């Protein structure tokens, strides 16, 4: 759900960094297309692993980094 913060939006993800629930996090990334993202190390690793097989997700994350 969105929360206002300094005229920006902060989205709090309802997914979890577990194999069973991480798909919801990826759905949220695709829907919201965040400009920055913070999470626990296990979720970042799961995201990196998914980027190995998902070209669209990979391209989006590299756009976030400015590469």
């Amino acid at each position: 759900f969105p929360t206002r913060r300094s005229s920006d939006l902060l989205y709090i993800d309802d997914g979890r960094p577990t194999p069973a629930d991480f798909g919801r996090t990826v759905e949220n990334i695709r829907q919201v297309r965040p400009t920055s993202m913070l999470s626990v190390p296990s979720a970042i690793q799961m995201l990196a692993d998914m980027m190995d097989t998902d070209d669209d997700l990979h391209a989006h994350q590299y756009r976030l980094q400015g590469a």
Side-chain angles (χ1 to χ4, degrees):
F1 52 88
T3 304
R4 280 293 215 187
R5 179 178 169 235
S6 302
S7 73
D8 295 330
L9 287 176
L10 171 67
Y11 284 89
I12 300 173
D13 179 34
D14 60 349
R16 293 185 174 181
T18 64
D21 298 324
F22 194 69
R24 179 66 181 142
T25 295
V26 174
E27 288 176 31
N28 290 334
I29 290 170
R30 291 181 196 284
Q31 181 180 19
V32 174
R33 295 292 186 176
T35 56
S36 64
M37 185 177 144
L38 299 172
S39 193
V40 297
S42 60
I44 300 298
Q45 183 61 55
M46 292 173 110
L47 183 60
D49 292 343
M50 289 195 83
M51 288 189 324
D52 286 343
T53 59
D54 188 323
D55 292 336
D56 182 54
L57 187 62
H58 185 262
H60 173 69
Q61 291 303 109
Y62 267 97
R63 184 180 57 79
L64 284 178
Q65 295 175 6

Coordinates of all heavy atoms in Angstrom, one line a residue:
F1 N 0.8 -1.2 0.0 CA 0.0 0.0 0.0 C 0.9 1.2 0.0 O 1.9 1.2 0.6 CB -1.0 0.0 1.2 CG -0.3 -0.2 2.5 CD1 0.2 0.8 3.2 CD2 -0.1 -1.5 3.0 CE1 0.8 0.6 4.4 CE2 0.5 -1.7 4.3 CZ 1.0 -0.6 5.0
P2 N 0.5 2.3 -0.7 CA 1.3 3.5 -0.8 C 1.2 4.4 0.4 O 0.2 4.4 1.1 CB 0.8 4.2 -2.0 CG -0.6 3.8 -2.1 CD -0.7 2.4 -1.6
T3 N 2.3 5.0 0.8 CA 2.4 5.9 1.9 C 3.1 7.2 1.4 O 4.2 7.1 0.7 CB 3.2 5.3 3.0 OG1 2.6 4.1 3.4 CG2 3.2 6.3 4.2
R4 N 2.6 8.4 1.7 CA 3.2 9.6 1.2 C 4.5 9.9 2.1 O 4.4 9.8 3.3 CB 2.3 10.8 1.4 CG 1.3 10.8 0.2 CD 2.0 11.2 -1.0 NE 1.3 12.0 -1.9 CZ 1.7 12.3 -3.1 NH1 2.8 11.9 -3.5 NH2 1.0 13.1 -3.9
R5 N 5.5 10.3 1.5 CA 6.8 10.7 2.2 C 7.5 11.7 1.3 O 8.0 11.4 0.2 CB 7.6 9.5 2.4 CG 8.9 9.7 3.1 CD 9.7 8.4 3.3 NE 11.0 8.8 3.8 CZ 12.1 8.4 3.2 NH1 12.0 7.6 2.2 NH2 13.3 8.7 3.7
S6 N 7.6 12.9 1.7 CA 8.3 14.0 1.0 C 7.9 14.1 -0.4 O 8.7 14.2 -1.3 CB 9.8 13.8 1.1 OG 10.2 13.7 2.4
S7 N 6.6 14.1 -0.7 CA 6.0 14.2 -2.0 C 6.4 13.0 -2.9 O 6.2 13.0 -4.1 CB 6.3 15.5 -2.7 OG 7.6 15.6 -3.1
D8 N 7.0 12.0 -2.4 CA 7.2 10.7 -3.1 C 6.3 9.7 -2.5 O 5.7 9.9 -1.5 CB 8.7 10.3 -2.9 CG 9.7 11.2 -3.5 OD1 9.3 11.9 -4.5 OD2 10.8 11.3 -3.0
L9 N 6.3 8.5 -3.1 CA 5.5 7.4 -2.6 C 6.4 6.3 -2.1 O 7.4 6.0 -2.7 CB 4.6 6.8 -3.6 CG 3.4 7.7 -4.0 CD1 2.6 7.0 -5.2 CD2 2.4 7.9 -2.8
L10 N 6.1 5.8 -0.9 CA 6.8 4.7 -0.3 C 5.9 3.5 -0.4 O 4.8 3.6 0.2 CB 7.2 5.0 1.1 CG 7.8 3.9 1.9 CD1 9.1 3.5 1.4 CD2 7.9 4.3 3.4
Y11 N 6.2 2.5 -1.1 CA 5.4 1.3 -1.2 C 6.0 0.2 -0.2 O 7.2 -0.1 -0.3 CB 5.4 0.7 -2.6 CG 4.5 1.5 -3.5 CD1 5.0 2.6 -4.2 CD2 3.2 1.2 -3.7 CE1 4.2 3.3 -5.1 CE2 2.4 1.9 -4.5 CZ 2.9 3.0 -5.2 OH 2.1 3.7 -6.0
I12 N 5.1 -0.3 0.6 CA 5.5 -1.4 1.5 C 5.0 -2.7 0.9 O 3.9 -2.9 0.8 CB 5.0 -1.2 2.9 CG1 5.5 0.2 3.5 CG2 5.4 -2.3 3.8 CD1 4.9 0.6 4.8
D13 N 6.0 -3.5 0.6 CA 5.7 -4.8 -0.1 C 5.0 -5.8 0.8 O 5.4 -5.9 1.9 CB 7.0 -5.3 -0.7 CG 6.9 -6.6 -1.4 OD1 5.9 -6.9 -2.0 OD2 7.8 -7.4 -1.3
D14 N 4.0 -6.5 0.3 CA 3.4 -7.5 1.1 C 3.9 -8.9 0.8 O 3.3 -9.9 1.3 CB 1.8 -7.4 0.9 CG 1.4 -7.6 -0.5 OD1 2.2 -7.6 -1.4 OD2 0.2 -7.8 -0.7
G15 N 4.9 -9.0 0.1 CA 5.6 -10.3 -0.2 C 6.5 -10.6 1.0 O 6.7 -9.8 1.9
R16 N 7.1 -11.8 0.9 CA 8.1 -12.2 1.9 C 9.3 -12.8 1.3 O 9.1 -13.5 0.2 CB 7.5 -13.1 2.9 CG 6.4 -12.5 3.7 CD 5.9 -13.5 4.8 NE 5.0 -12.8 5.6 CZ 4.4 -13.3 6.6 NH1 4.6 -14.6 6.9 NH2 3.5 -12.6 7.4
P17 N 10.5 -12.7 1.9 CA 11.7 -13.3 1.3 C 11.8 -14.8 1.5 O 12.7 -15.3 2.1 CB 12.8 -12.6 1.9 CG 12.3 -12.2 3.2 CD 10.8 -11.9 3.0
T18 N 10.7 -15.5 1.1 CA 10.7 -17.0 1.2 C 10.4 -17.5 -0.2 O 9.7 -16.9 -1.0 CB 9.6 -17.5 2.2 OG1 8.4 -17.2 1.7 CG2 9.8 -16.9 3.6
P19 N 10.8 -18.7 -0.5 CA 10.5 -19.3 -1.8 C 9.1 -19.3 -2.1 O 8.7 -19.1 -3.3 CB 11.1 -20.7 -1.8 CG 12.2 -20.6 -0.8 CD 11.7 -19.6 0.3
A20 N 8.2 -19.5 -1.2 CA 6.8 -19.6 -1.4 C 6.1 -18.2 -1.6 O 5.1 -18.1 -2.4 CB 6.1 -20.3 -0.2
D21 N 6.7 -17.2 -1.1 CA 6.0 -15.9 -1.1 C 6.8 -14.8 -1.9 O 6.3 -13.7 -2.1 CB 5.9 -15.4 0.3 CG 5.0 -16.2 1.2 OD1 4.0 -16.8 0.6 OD2 5.2 -16.4 2.4
F22 N 8.0 -15.1 -2.4 CA 8.7 -14.1 -3.1 C 8.1 -13.7 -4.4 O 8.3 -12.6 -4.9 CB 10.2 -14.5 -3.3 CG 11.1 -13.4 -3.7 CD1 11.4 -12.4 -2.8 CD2 11.6 -13.4 -5.0 CE1 12.2 -11.3 -3.2 CE2 12.4 -12.3 -5.4 CZ 12.7 -11.3 -4.5
G23 N 7.3 -14.6 -5.0 CA 6.6 -14.2 -6.3 C 5.8 -13.0 -6.1 O 5.7 -12.2 -7.1
R24 N 5.2 -12.8 -5.0 CA 4.4 -11.6 -4.7 C 5.3 -10.3 -4.8 O 4.9 -9.3 -5.3 CB 3.7 -11.7 -3.4 CG 2.8 -10.5 -3.0 CD 1.7 -10.4 -4.0 NE 0.9 -9.2 -3.6 CZ 0.3 -8.3 -4.4 NH1 0.4 -8.6 -5.7 NH2 -0.3 -7.3 -4.0
T25 N 6.5 -10.4 -4.3 CA 7.4 -9.3 -4.3 C 7.7 -9.0 -5.8 O 7.8 -7.8 -6.2 CB 8.7 -9.6 -3.5 OG1 8.3 -9.8 -2.2 CG2 9.7 -8.5 -3.7
V26 N 8.0 -10.0 -6.6 CA 8.3 -9.8 -8.0 C 7.1 -9.1 -8.7 O 7.3 -8.2 -9.5 CB 8.8 -11.1 -8.7 CG1 9.0 -10.9 -10.2 CG2 10.1 -11.5 -8.0
E27 N 5.9 -9.6 -8.4 CA 4.7 -9.0 -9.0 C 4.6 -7.5 -8.7 O 4.3 -6.7 -9.5 CB 3.4 -9.7 -8.5 CG 3.2 -11.1 -9.0 CD 2.0 -11.7 -8.3 OE1 1.0 -10.9 -8.0 OE2 2.0 -12.9 -8.2
N28 N 4.9 -7.2 -7.4 CA 4.9 -5.8 -7.0 C 6.0 -5.0 -7.7 O 5.7 -3.8 -8.1 CB 5.1 -5.7 -5.5 CG 3.9 -6.2 -4.7 OD1 2.8 -6.2 -5.2 ND2 4.1 -6.6 -3.5
I29 N 7.1 -5.5 -7.9 CA 8.2 -4.8 -8.6 C 7.7 -4.5 -10.0 O 7.9 -3.4 -10.6 CB 9.5 -5.6 -8.6 CG1 10.1 -5.6 -7.2 CG2 10.5 -5.0 -9.6 CD1 11.3 -6.6 -7.0
R30 N 7.1 -5.5 -10.7 CA 6.7 -5.3 -12.1 C 5.5 -4.3 -12.1 O 5.5 -3.5 -13.1 CB 6.2 -6.6 -12.6 CG 7.2 -7.6 -12.9 CD 6.6 -8.9 -13.5 NE 7.5 -10.0 -13.4 CZ 8.5 -10.2 -14.2 NH1 8.8 -9.3 -15.1 NH2 9.3 -11.3 -14.1
Q31 N 4.7 -4.3 -11.2 CA 3.5 -3.3 -11.2 C 3.9 -1.9 -10.8 O 3.5 -1.0 -11.5 CB 2.5 -3.8 -10.2 CG 1.2 -2.9 -10.2 CD 0.2 -3.4 -9.2 OE1 0.5 -4.2 -8.3 NE2 -1.0 -3.0 -9.4
V32 N 4.7 -1.7 -9.8 CA 5.1 -0.4 -9.3 C 6.3 0.2 -10.0 O 6.3 1.4 -10.2 CB 5.4 -0.5 -7.8 CG1 5.8 0.8 -7.2 CG2 4.1 -0.9 -7.0
R33 N 7.2 -0.6 -10.5 CA 8.4 -0.2 -11.1 C 9.1 0.9 -10.2 O 9.3 2.0 -10.6 CB 8.1 0.4 -12.5 CG 7.6 -0.6 -13.5 CD 8.7 -1.6 -13.8 NE 8.2 -2.5 -14.9 CZ 9.0 -3.4 -15.4 NH1 10.2 -3.5 -15.0 NH2 8.5 -4.2 -16.4
P34 N 9.6 0.4 -9.0 CA 10.2 1.4 -8.1 C 11.5 2.0 -8.7 O 12.2 1.4 -9.5 CB 10.5 0.5 -6.9 CG 10.7 -0.8 -7.4 CD 9.7 -0.9 -8.6
T35 N 11.8 3.2 -8.2 CA 13.1 3.8 -8.6 C 14.2 3.5 -7.6 O 15.4 3.7 -7.9 CB 13.0 5.3 -8.6 OG1 12.5 5.8 -7.4 CG2 12.0 5.7 -9.8
S36 N 13.9 2.9 -6.4 CA 14.9 2.4 -5.5 C 14.2 1.3 -4.7 O 12.9 1.2 -4.7 CB 15.4 3.5 -4.5 OG 14.3 4.0 -3.7
M37 N 15.0 0.5 -4.1 CA 14.5 -0.7 -3.4 C 15.4 -1.1 -2.2 O 16.6 -1.1 -2.4 CB 14.3 -1.8 -4.4 CG 13.7 -3.0 -3.8 SD 13.5 -4.3 -5.1 CE 13.8 -5.8 -4.1
L38 N 14.8 -1.3 -1.1 CA 15.5 -1.8 0.1 C 14.9 -3.1 0.6 O 13.7 -3.2 0.5 CB 15.5 -0.8 1.2 CG 16.0 0.6 0.9 CD1 15.7 1.6 2.1 CD2 17.5 0.5 0.7
S39 N 15.7 -4.0 1.0 CA 15.2 -5.3 1.5 C 16.3 -6.0 2.3 O 17.4 -5.5 2.4 CB 14.7 -6.1 0.3 OG 14.0 -7.2 0.8
V40 N 15.9 -7.1 2.8 CA 16.8 -7.9 3.6 C 17.7 -8.7 2.6 O 17.4 -8.9 1.4 CB 16.1 -8.9 4.5 CG1 15.3 -8.2 5.6 CG2 15.2 -9.9 3.7
P41 N 19.0 -9.1 3.0 CA 19.9 -9.7 2.1 C 19.3 -11.0 1.4 O 19.6 -11.2 0.2 CB 21.1 -10.1 3.0 CG 21.0 -9.1 4.1 CD 19.6 -8.8 4.4
S42 N 18.5 -11.8 2.1 CA 18.0 -13.0 1.4 C 17.1 -12.6 0.3 O 17.1 -13.3 -0.7 CB 17.3 -13.9 2.4 OG 16.2 -13.2 3.0
A43 N 16.3 -11.5 0.4 CA 15.4 -11.1 -0.7 C 16.3 -10.5 -1.9 O 15.9 -10.8 -3.0 CB 14.5 -10.0 -0.2
I44 N 17.3 -9.8 -1.6 CA 18.2 -9.3 -2.6 C 18.8 -10.5 -3.4 O 18.9 -10.5 -4.6 CB 19.3 -8.4 -2.1 CG1 18.7 -7.2 -1.4 CG2 20.3 -7.9 -3.1 CD1 17.8 -6.3 -2.2
Q45 N 19.2 -11.5 -2.7 CA 19.8 -12.7 -3.3 C 18.8 -13.4 -4.2 O 19.1 -13.8 -5.3 CB 20.4 -13.7 -2.3 CG 21.0 -14.9 -2.9 CD 22.2 -14.6 -3.8 OE1 23.1 -13.9 -3.3 NE2 22.2 -15.0 -5.0
M46 N 17.5 -13.5 -3.7 CA 16.5 -14.2 -4.5 C 16.2 -13.3 -5.7 O 16.0 -13.9 -6.8 CB 15.2 -14.3 -3.6 CG 15.3 -15.3 -2.5 SD 13.9 -15.2 -1.5 CE 13.2 -16.8 -1.9
L47 N 16.2 -12.0 -5.6 CA 16.0 -11.1 -6.8 C 17.1 -11.3 -7.8 O 16.9 -11.4 -9.0 CB 15.9 -9.7 -6.3 CG 15.6 -8.7 -7.4 CD1 14.3 -9.0 -8.1 CD2 15.6 -7.3 -6.8
A48 N 18.4 -11.4 -7.3 CA 19.5 -11.6 -8.2 C 19.4 -13.0 -8.9 O 19.6 -13.0 -10.1 CB 20.8 -11.5 -7.4
D49 N 19.0 -14.0 -8.2 CA 18.8 -15.3 -8.8 C 17.7 -15.3 -9.9 O 17.8 -15.9 -11.0 CB 18.4 -16.3 -7.8 CG 19.6 -16.6 -6.8 OD1 20.8 -16.3 -7.1 OD2 19.3 -17.2 -5.7
M50 N 16.6 -14.5 -9.6 CA 15.5 -14.4 -10.6 C 16.0 -13.7 -11.8 O 15.5 -14.0 -12.9 CB 14.3 -13.8 -10.0 CG 13.6 -14.7 -9.0 SD 12.0 -14.1 -8.6 CE 11.1 -14.8 -9.9
M51 N 16.8 -12.7 -11.7 CA 17.3 -11.9 -12.8 C 18.1 -12.7 -13.8 O 18.2 -12.4 -14.9 CB 18.1 -10.7 -12.3 CG 17.2 -9.6 -11.7 SD 18.1 -8.1 -11.3 CE 19.7 -8.5 -10.8
D52 N 18.7 -13.8 -13.3 CA 19.5 -14.7 -14.2 C 18.6 -15.3 -15.3 O 19.0 -15.6 -16.3 CB 20.1 -15.8 -13.4 CG 21.3 -15.3 -12.6 OD1 21.8 -14.2 -12.9 OD2 21.7 -16.0 -11.7
T53 N 17.3 -15.5 -15.0 CA 16.4 -16.2 -15.9 C 15.3 -15.3 -16.5 O 14.6 -15.7 -17.3 CB 15.7 -17.4 -15.3 OG1 15.0 -17.0 -14.1 CG2 16.8 -18.4 -14.8
D54 N 15.2 -14.0 -15.9 CA 14.1 -13.1 -16.3 C 14.7 -11.9 -16.9 O 15.1 -11.0 -16.2 CB 13.2 -12.8 -15.1 CG 12.0 -12.0 -15.5 OD1 12.0 -11.2 -16.4 OD2 10.9 -12.3 -14.8
D55 N 14.7 -11.8 -18.2 CA 15.4 -10.6 -18.9 C 14.7 -9.3 -18.6 O 15.4 -8.3 -18.5 CB 15.4 -10.9 -20.4 CG 16.3 -12.0 -20.8 OD1 17.3 -12.3 -20.0 OD2 16.1 -12.6 -21.9
D56 N 13.4 -9.3 -18.5 CA 12.6 -8.0 -18.2 C 13.0 -7.5 -16.8 O 13.3 -6.3 -16.7 CB 11.1 -8.3 -18.4 CG 10.4 -7.0 -18.1 OD1 10.6 -6.0 -18.8 OD2 9.5 -7.0 -17.3
L57 N 13.0 -8.4 -15.9 CA 13.3 -8.0 -14.5 C 14.8 -7.6 -14.5 O 15.1 -6.6 -13.8 CB 13.1 -9.2 -13.6 CG 13.3 -8.9 -12.1 CD1 12.3 -7.9 -11.6 CD2 13.1 -10.2 -11.3
H58 N 15.7 -8.3 -15.1 CA 17.1 -7.9 -15.2 C 17.3 -6.5 -15.8 O 18.0 -5.7 -15.2 CB 17.8 -9.0 -16.0 CG 19.3 -8.8 -16.1 ND1 19.9 -8.1 -17.1 CD2 20.2 -9.1 -15.2 CE1 21.2 -8.1 -16.9 NE2 21.4 -8.7 -15.7
A59 N 16.6 -6.2 -16.9 CA 16.7 -4.9 -17.5 C 16.2 -3.8 -16.6 O 16.8 -2.7 -16.5 CB 16.0 -4.9 -18.8
H60 N 15.1 -4.1 -15.9 CA 14.6 -3.1 -15.0 C 15.5 -2.8 -13.9 O 15.8 -1.6 -13.5 CB 13.2 -3.5 -14.5 CG 12.7 -2.6 -13.4 ND1 12.3 -1.3 -13.7 CD2 12.6 -2.7 -12.1 CE1 11.9 -0.7 -12.6 NE2 12.1 -1.6 -11.6
Q61 N 16.1 -3.8 -13.3 CA 17.0 -3.6 -12.1 C 18.3 -2.8 -12.6 O 18.8 -2.0 -11.8 CB 17.4 -4.9 -11.5 CG 16.2 -5.5 -10.7 CD 15.6 -4.6 -9.7 OE1 14.5 -4.1 -9.9 NE2 16.3 -4.4 -8.6
Y62 N 18.8 -3.1 -13.8 CA 19.9 -2.4 -14.2 C 19.6 -0.9 -14.5 O 20.4 0.0 -14.3 CB 20.5 -3.0 -15.5 CG 21.6 -4.0 -15.2 CD1 21.3 -5.3 -15.1 CD2 22.9 -3.5 -14.9 CE1 22.3 -6.2 -14.7 CE2 23.9 -4.4 -14.5 CZ 23.6 -5.8 -14.5 OH 24.6 -6.7 -14.1
R63 N 18.4 -0.6 -14.9 CA 17.9 0.7 -15.1 C 17.9 1.5 -13.7 O 18.3 2.6 -13.6 CB 16.5 0.8 -15.7 CG 16.0 2.2 -16.0 CD 14.7 2.2 -16.6 NE 13.7 1.5 -15.8 CZ 13.0 2.1 -14.8 NH1 13.3 3.3 -14.4 NH2 12.1 1.4 -14.1
L64 N 17.6 0.8 -12.7 CA 17.6 1.4 -11.3 C 19.0 1.8 -10.9 O 19.2 2.8 -10.3 CB 17.1 0.4 -10.3 CG 15.6 0.1 -10.2 CD1 15.3 -0.9 -9.1 CD2 14.8 1.4 -9.9
Q65 N 20.0 1.0 -11.3 CA 21.3 1.3 -10.9 C 22.0 2.3 -11.8 O 23.1 2.8 -11.5 CB 22.2 0.0 -11.0 CG 21.7 -1.1 -10.0 CD 22.5 -2.3 -10.1 OE1 23.4 -2.4 -10.9 NE2 22.1 -3.4 -9.4
G66 N 21.3 2.7 -12.9 CA 21.9 3.7 -13.8 C 23.0 3.2 -14.7 O 23.7 3.9 -15.3
A67 N 23.0 1.8 -14.8 CA 24.0 1.2 -15.7 C 23.5 1.2 -17.2 O 22.4 1.3 -17.5 CB 24.3 -0.2 -15.3

